Amino acid sequence: MRHIERRDSQTRLHILETTVALINETGSGELRVADVAKRADVGVPAIYYHFESKEEMLLAVYEEGLRRVTEIVEEAVASGIEDIVVVLSPGRTLALDHFQPARDLEEHLESKGKHEVLTALRRTNLPARFRTAHQERPLGLGHAVLQAREAIGDEPFGLFLPDDIIDAARPCLRQLIDVAE
């Protein structure tokens, strides 16, 4: 049974990764389940086994993306980074919006006496200063870095990619900064 569960989670992850690749190529508005199935080399029923609808699949993609961005920002802040430049495609601000204060929600939680939840929510609000740079088309990592040059200037910088995972007691970037200093 464990083997089947592991295979199921691997298939689900593969479908999500394939969906992200197709979104990057065509945009989410043009995404078709049949195209995801073909590219992922699975049947359409396999997609509906893991996701009830195309919308649920897209939501899972965005939730995973937000989780990864949150981890990156937390590592940067834990490393002492105060200014973060995010390179985005035009119109894709969901990652930054995630860190903006939600005044209505904060007031509601305050009125209900949900102080622990409110404290956790406020920890995600603007843990650093964010600036954006825009990359009109995905022309590679070097091009993305060039788009951020005006915001970074001649200062040293750390580059985070959402698929880099380094499990360490002290954040990897903090270790690199310590060596550089």
Side-chain angles (χ1 to χ4, degrees):
M1 186 64 149
R2 220 176 237 184
H3 176 70
I4 292 171
E5 289 174 6
R6 187 175 69 238
R7 190 175 57 197
D8 279 353
S9 66
Q10 289 171 341
T11 300
R12 186 178 194 279
L13 180 60
H14 179 62
I15 291 168
L16 288 174
E17 289 171 346
T18 302
T19 303
V20 169
L22 283 170
I23 289 171
N24 287 337
E25 291 172 19
T26 64
S28 60
E30 304 296 320
L31 186 71
R32 294 180 37 229
V33 172
D35 294 337
V36 174
K38 183 176 180 181
R39 175 78 71 88
D41 198 26
V42 299
V44 170
I47 292 178
Y48 287 112
Y49 171 80
H50 293 283
F51 307 99
E52 289 184 16
S53 65
K54 172 183 164 182
E55 291 74 21
E56 183 181 315
M57 183 174 63
L58 288 172
L59 181 61
V61 166
Y62 291 122
E63 286 174 345
E64 178 64 15
L66 282 177
R67 185 189 64 74
R68 289 179 179 182
V69 168
T70 300
E71 288 174 355
I72 288 170
V73 169
E74 287 172 352
E75 180 174 345
V77 170
S79 297
I81 301 299
E82 297 173 349
D83 293 296
I84 297 176
V85 179
V86 180
V87 180
L88 300 168
S89 300
R92 296 202 176 168
T93 62
L94 184 62
L96 287 180
D97 294 344
H98 176 67
F99 296 101
Q100 299 298 320
R103 300 283 183 233
D104 293 347
L105 179 56
E106 289 181 20
E107 289 171 9
H108 175 74
L109 292 171
E110 184 76 46
S111 72
K112 297 291 183 186
K114 308 262 184 182
H115 300 292
E116 288 181 31
V117 177
L118 181 60
T119 300
L121 175 67
R122 286 183 173 155
R123 270 198 306 270
T124 67
N125 293 347
L126 299 174
R129 287 182 296 277
F130 288 91
R131 290 183 281 165
T132 60
H134 294 281
Q135 185 180 29
E136 297 294 325
R137 294 179 307 183
L139 298 175
L141 183 58
H143 184 260
V145 171
L146 282 174
Q147 303 313 298
R149 185 173 187 182
E150 184 178 318
I152 295 169
D154 293 329
E155 295 295 317
F157 65 93
L159 175 66
F160 287 91
L161 301 173
D163 53 357
D164 288 343
I165 299 171
I166 300 171
D167 188 19
R170 265 180 59 237
C172 180
L173 182 60
R174 180 74 255 164
Q175 294 177 48
L176 292 170
I177 292 169
D178 290 345
V179 169
E181 291 176 341

